[in-house]
């Protein structure tokens, strides 16, 4: 738990001047709602869409945004995934692909960053649904490894007005997802090592694999740096 708390502090310490603009919200020139889309790097190629409520009330100094993203990721080591979740066979040509859907709630505050007039601090909770697929062509193996994780994230967003209703957006941030159970085929490994049907490591005296082994083989979301660009359109 101390490790997770330290990581949260690191994420928020990366964002300077968080108190500069609290209470200075301009409400985007009177706009109430907007929709946005971004694409770029999110530990792989990512596309994110969101909906923002700019004016919750006159007394609330922040915007509220709901978002969903799709990311293509390297799912991990194919051979190790097979050993840890299936069996010790080595035949077949490996193919792999990974993806995650992330769901996010952001609290958005105005504050000065790089002297950009419309710069914002964003932070809030995250939820990730990860799937890594491993296929061995000629080896009769095709299986998924999945995980579901809660996380937290923070970042900076810079908005540049293009028209009265359209902004160019550059987003920089970092999300962190907490370790959770990895499940594949009929096997699962949990952070507390209350594992279900763990396979035996034939390269280490046939002792059962642990969560550490599974987590080392599978690239489930952990630190997820974000560098994205997109558009924000004001609906009202």
């Amino acid at each position: 738990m101390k490790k997770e708390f330290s990581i949260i502090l690191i994420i928020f310490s990366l964002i300077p001047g968080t108190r500069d603009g609290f209470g200075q919200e301009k409400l985007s020139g009177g706009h109430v709602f907007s929709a946005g889309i971004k694409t770029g790097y999110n530990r792989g190629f990512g596309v994110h869409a969101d909906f923002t409520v700019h004016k919750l009330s006159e007394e609330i100094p922040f915007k509220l945004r709901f978002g969903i993203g799709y990311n293509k990721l390297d799912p991990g080591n194919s051979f190790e995934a097979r050993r840890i979740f299936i069996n010790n066979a080595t035949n077949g040509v490996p193919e792999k692909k990974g993806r995650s859907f992330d769901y996010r709630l952001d609290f958005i505050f105005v504050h000065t960053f790089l002297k950009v007039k419309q710069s914002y601090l964003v932070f809030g909770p995250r939820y990730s649904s990860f799937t890594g697929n491993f296929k061995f062509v000629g080896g009769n193996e095709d299986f998924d490894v999945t995980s579901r994780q809660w996380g937290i994230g923070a970042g900076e967003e810079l908005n540049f007005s293009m028209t009265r209703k359209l902004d160019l957006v550059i987003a920089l941030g970092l999300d962190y997802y907490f370790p959770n159970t990895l499940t594949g085929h009929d096997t699962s490994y949990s952070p507390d090592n209350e594992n279900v049907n763990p396979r035996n490591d034939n390269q280490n005296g046939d002792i059962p694999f642990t969560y550490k082994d599974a987590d080392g083989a599978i690239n489930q979301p952990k630190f997820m740096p974000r560098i994205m660009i997109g558009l924000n359109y004001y609906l009202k």
Side-chain angles (χ1 to χ4, degrees):
M1 190 64 186
K2 289 183 178 179
K3 178 183 177 182
E4 284 78 6
F5 183 71
S6 298
I7 290 169
I8 292 171
L9 291 178
I10 290 171
I11 288 176
F12 285 104
S13 70
L14 293 175
I15 310 300
T18 59
R19 296 172 296 178
D20 292 353
F22 285 26
Q24 298 178 16
E25 177 59 73
K26 299 182 303 176
L27 302 176
S28 299
H31 295 295
V32 181
F33 305 112
S34 68
I37 187 166
K38 304 180 189 72
T39 187
Y41 177 78
N42 193 192
R43 216 203 77 189
F45 173 75
V47 178
H48 287 195
D50 55 65
F51 177 82
T52 303
V53 180
H54 292 264
K55 189 174 182 179
L56 293 164
S57 80
E58 295 294 346
E59 292 76 29
I60 297 178
F62 58 82
K63 306 176 186 182
L64 194 62
R65 181 170 64 198
F66 307 88
I68 181 172
Y70 171 80
N71 309 297
K72 294 181 66 175
L73 307 173
D74 176 1
N77 186 305
S78 297
F79 291 104
E80 289 299 294
R82 186 179 189 176
R83 292 181 63 226
I84 293 168
F85 287 92
I86 305 293
N87 55 45
N88 290 302
T90 58
N91 61 321
V93 178
E95 296 180 354
K96 62 182 180 178
K97 56 186 177 181
R99 68 178 186 273
S100 72
F101 290 93
D102 63 71
Y103 309 88
R104 57 188 59 232
L105 174 64
D106 280 317
F107 300 92
I108 306 174
F109 293 88
V110 173
H111 82 290
T112 302
F113 184 72
L114 298 179
K115 298 182 180 180
V116 176
K117 185 177 181 181
Q118 294 188 74
S119 57
Y120 302 93
L121 165 71
V122 302
F123 65 89
R126 313 284 186 248
Y127 184 77
S128 170
S129 172
F130 165 81
T131 300
N133 176 260
F134 301 90
K135 182 177 181 180
F136 285 81
V137 179
N140 196 32
E141 295 291 358
D142 187 348
F143 63 98
D144 291 338
V145 177
T146 62
S147 70
R148 306 291 181 264
Q149 300 162 268
W150 285 100
I152 191 168
E156 282 286 346
E157 290 190 6
L158 309 178
N159 286 30
F160 303 91
S161 295
M162 300 178 68
T163 70
R164 188 181 71 84
K165 301 192 71 172
L166 188 68
D167 284 354
L168 174 71
V169 180
I170 298 175
L172 310 171
L174 177 66
D175 298 331
Y176 175 75
Y177 290 93
F178 301 102
N180 203 6
T181 300
L182 287 159
T183 301
H185 196 54
D186 59 351
T187 297
S188 66
Y189 298 90
S190 298
D192 59 4
N193 274 316
E194 292 292 329
N195 304 322
V196 176
N197 197 26
R199 299 298 192 251
N200 293 328
D201 184 355
N202 70 335
Q203 298 179 11
N204 192 24
D206 282 333
I207 62 174
F209 286 109
T210 65
Y211 177 80
K212 182 178 179 181
D213 299 317
D215 187 49
I218 305 300
N219 292 336
Q220 66 175 328
K222 292 177 185 173
F223 287 103
M224 298 284 285
R226 304 173 67 237
I227 304 173
M228 309 192 88
I229 188 170
L231 298 171
N232 197 45
Y233 182 76
Y234 296 101
L235 304 171
K236 183 178 177 182

